[in-house]
Amino acid sequence: MSVEQRSTPAAGNTGKGSGLKKIVAASMVGTVVEWYEFFLYATAATLVFGKYFFPSTGNELDGIIQAFITYAVGFVARPLGGIVFGQIGDKLGRKPTLQLTIVIVGVSTFLMGCLPGFVEIGYWAPAMLVALRFIQGFALGGEWGGAVLLVAEHSPNKSRGFWSSWPQAAVPVGNLLATLVLFVMSSVLSSEAFLGWGWRVAFWLSAVIVFVGYYIRTHVTEAPIFLEAKAQVEESKAISYGVGEVIRKYPKGILQAMGLRFAENIMYYLVVSFAIVYLKSVHKYDTSSLLLALLIAHAIHFVVIPQVGRLVDSWGRKPVYLVGAISGAVWPFFAFPMFDTQNAVIIVLAVTIGLCLHAFMYAGQPAIMSELFPTRMRYSGVSLGSQVTSIFAGSLAPLLATQWLKDTGSWVPTAIYLVVACAVTAVAVLSLRETKSIALEDIDEADAERHGLATATPKG
C-alpha cells in the first residue's frame, strides 16, 4: 500500500482553505470548553477540594490525596465514554456526538459549583462530587476522539499532522482559561472568600461558554470519507463497525495507541498537577504565584504544539514522538532541582520546558492514531486506545506521586516512574510503521482487501 499522497482529489482532502479552518475552529472551540471544565477540576482538586469536601486530618497532603482519588474517577469513566460515544460516532457521525458530549460536560461542571461542602452535609458532599465527576469524565471520554478525527478526516494527507494538532493546542487554551479564572479569584479575594465561594464562579462560567461551543459545532460538516464509509456499512450487512469490530480486527492498533498515550498522559499530569502539589507542600509556594507560572507555561504550550505538528509532517511521525519520549524521561531530573531553587523565573522555566517536551508526544497523536484504523471503526479505535490508558496513566500519576512524596519526602520515585513510562512509550513508537503523508482512503482499501469487503472509497 502506498504511503504517498494521492494525486487525485481524495475525500479526506476536500476541506482545504477556509472550509478546513472552519472545521479546525469548531473542533478547537468545543475542546477549549470541555478541557476548561475538566482541568478546572484538576486545579481545584489541588487547591480547594481537599479542604472543602473532605474532613481534616491535620495533614494537608491527606486532603489532596482524597481529592485526587475523586479526580481519578473521571479517568475511570473516560473509557466507558469512549466505548459508548465511539460506537455512536462511528454509526451516526462525529458532529452529533460532539454536540452531545459538550452539553453533558457543561451541565455536570455547573452543578459541581453548586455543591455544599463536608461541613454542611458530611460525606454526601464527596459522594455527589464523585457522581458528577464520573458523568463529566464519561462525556469527555467521547470528546477527544471526535474532535481530532473531525479535523484529521478533512485534512490534506501531507499536512494532516499540522492541522490535526490544533485540537491538541486547544487543550492548553482550556487549561489556561481555567487557571486564569482561578488566578483572578485567588488574587482579588481573601483565602476565606476564595475557599468559600470564589472557586464556584469558575465552575458556573461553564454555563455561558458551553452555549458558544455548542453553537459553533452546529455549523460543521462530516468529512466525505466518513459519509462514504457510513453508506457502505448501511448498504452491506457483511461490513461492521464500532468497538467490537475494532477489538476483533485491530487489537495491535489499540495496544499501540495505548502505548503512545502512556508516557504522554503521565508526564502531562505530573507537570500541571503534581508540580503544584510539590511546590505548595514542600516549599509553601503561594497559590497565586503557582497559577501565574502555569498561565505562562500553558500559553507557550499552545504556541509550540502546532509547530511540532509541522515537524510531524516533515520529519515523520516516529522520530518526533521518540524525541518526546526520550526527553520526557530526562525532565524530572533537572525540573525538581529547579523547583527547589524557589526562584520564580526558574520554576516557570521548569514547567514550561516540561510542557514543550510533552508537545513532541502530544502534537502527533491525532495523525498517528487516525492512521492506525480504517474509517468505519476509527472513532472507536482512537477513543478506546487513548481513553483506556488514562485509567492507569493520568488518573494515577498525581495520586501516586503525592503518596510517594508523603511517604519518602522525595521526588526521586516519581522521576523513576516517568522513566519507566517513557520506555514503554518508546517501545510502542518503534513498533509503528511510518505513515507520513498516507492517504486515509488507502487505509480503507487495505482494510477492505484484508477482510474481503467491497472497496470503501473509489480509486483514483
Side-chain angles (χ1 to χ4, degrees), residues 12-25 151 154-156 159 162-163:
N13 293 353
T14 58
K16 294 180 181 179
S18 60
L20 178 54
K21 291 177 181 178
K22 180 179 178 181
I23 295 293
V24 170
V151 178
H154 278 90
S155 300
S159 55
F162 170 71
W163 288 110

Side-chain angles (χ1 to χ4, degrees), residues 422-439:
C422 287
V424 171
T425 291
V427 171
V429 174
L430 292 173
S431 73
L432 296 170
R433 68 188 183 91
E434 182 57 64
T435 52
K436 182 179 73 171
S437 298
I438 195 172

Side-chain angles (χ1 to χ4, degrees), residues 121 151 175 178 186 188 210 236 253 266 272 282 317 324 362 387 389 417 443:
I121 59 173
V151 178
N175 203 349
S186 65
V188 302
V210 73
S236 176
I266 288 174
V272 302
V282 174
R317 280 53 166 146
Y362 197 54
Q387 301 305 331
T389 315
Y417 171 53
I443 296 174

Side-chain angles (χ1 to χ4, degrees), residues 65-391:
I65 290 171
Q66 290 174 318
F68 275 145
I69 291 174
T70 68
Y71 179 57
V73 168
F75 286 88
V76 174
R78 282 165 68 170
L80 180 60
I83 291 172
V84 172
F85 290 113
Q87 192 81 6
I88 295 172
D90 280 330
K91 182 177 182 179
L92 300 180
R94 286 56 167 138
K95 176 180 174 178
T97 307
L98 290 174
Q99 290 174 305
L100 178 60
T101 58
I102 197 172
V103 171
I104 295 174
V105 174
V107 171
S108 61
T109 306
F110 177 82
L111 292 177
M112 284 180 187
C114 301
L115 291 178
F118 185 85
V119 173
E120 288 82 15
I121 59 173
Y123 285 100
W124 279 107
M128 290 191 290
L129 181 66
V130 167
L132 290 174
R133 173 62 174 166
F134 185 90
I135 295 170
Q136 185 192 56
F138 176 79
L140 189 58
E143 157 65 22
W144 183 80
V148 299
L149 290 184
L150 195 64
V151 178
E153 291 178 343
H154 278 90
S155 300
N157 300 323
K158 289 185 177 179
S159 55
R160 185 176 300 117
F162 170 71
W163 288 110
S164 63
S165 71
W166 280 100
Q168 302 289 74
V171 173
V173 174
N175 203 349
L176 188 150
L177 290 177
T179 306
L180 178 62
V181 172
L182 289 173
F183 172 72
V184 172
M185 290 292 129
S186 65
S187 298
V188 302
L189 299 176
S190 65
S191 297
E192 293 75 17
F194 178 71
L195 288 173
W197 62 269
W199 63 272
R200 298 181 184 274
V201 175
F203 284 80
W204 291 336
L205 283 175
S206 65
V208 178
I209 59 179
V210 73
F211 287 113
V212 176
Y214 182 87
Y215 173 77
I216 292 177
R217 284 188 169 176
T218 62
H219 291 80
V220 301
T221 57
E222 300 284 3
I225 191 173
F226 167 75
L227 296 176
E228 291 171 2
K230 179 183 177 183
Q232 182 199 27
V233 170
E234 292 173 349
E235 291 172 4
S236 176
K237 294 182 179 180
I239 301 175
S240 187
Y241 64 92
V243 176
E245 182 76 350
V246 77
I247 291 175
R248 287 191 299 270
K249 300 295 176 60
Y250 290 89
K252 180 181 178 182
I254 294 174
L255 291 175
Q256 287 173 321
M258 292 174 66
L260 292 172
R261 181 84 161 134
F262 190 59
E264 173 271 311
N265 200 223
I266 288 174
M267 182 174 181
Y268 188 80
Y269 287 100
L270 291 180
V271 175
V272 302
S273 292
F274 179 65
I276 296 178
V277 174
Y278 183 82
L279 288 165
K280 193 169 179 61
S281 62
V282 174
H283 297 301
K284 309 303 178 183
Y285 225 69
D286 68 282
T287 298
S288 295
S289 297
L290 289 173
L291 292 174
L292 180 59
L294 284 177
L295 276 175
I296 296 171
H298 291 319
I300 296 174
H301 196 209
F302 166 74
V303 173
V304 168
I305 287 175
Q307 306 314 313
V308 177
R310 291 186 187 277
L311 295 179
V312 169
D313 288 322
S314 59
W315 292 4
R317 280 53 166 146
K318 294 176 65 173
V320 173
Y321 218 104
L322 280 175
V323 168
I326 294 170
S327 60
V330 177
W331 175 79
F333 293 98
F334 64 80
F336 285 96
M338 292 173 73
F339 293 153
D340 291 338
T341 66
Q342 300 186 55
N343 181 290
V345 175
I346 295 177
I347 288 172
V348 171
L349 186 61
V351 175
T352 302
I353 291 174
L355 290 182
C356 288
L357 297 180
H358 167 267
F360 277 81
M361 292 185 280
Y362 197 54
Q365 274 186 9
I368 297 173
M369 291 189 186
S370 67
E371 291 158 3
L372 287 174
F373 307 101
T375 305
R376 65 191 176 101
M377 60 185 81
R378 183 171 291 126
Y379 201 144
S380 295
V382 167
S383 296
L384 195 61
S386 63
Q387 301 305 331
V388 168
T389 315
S390 65
I391 295 179

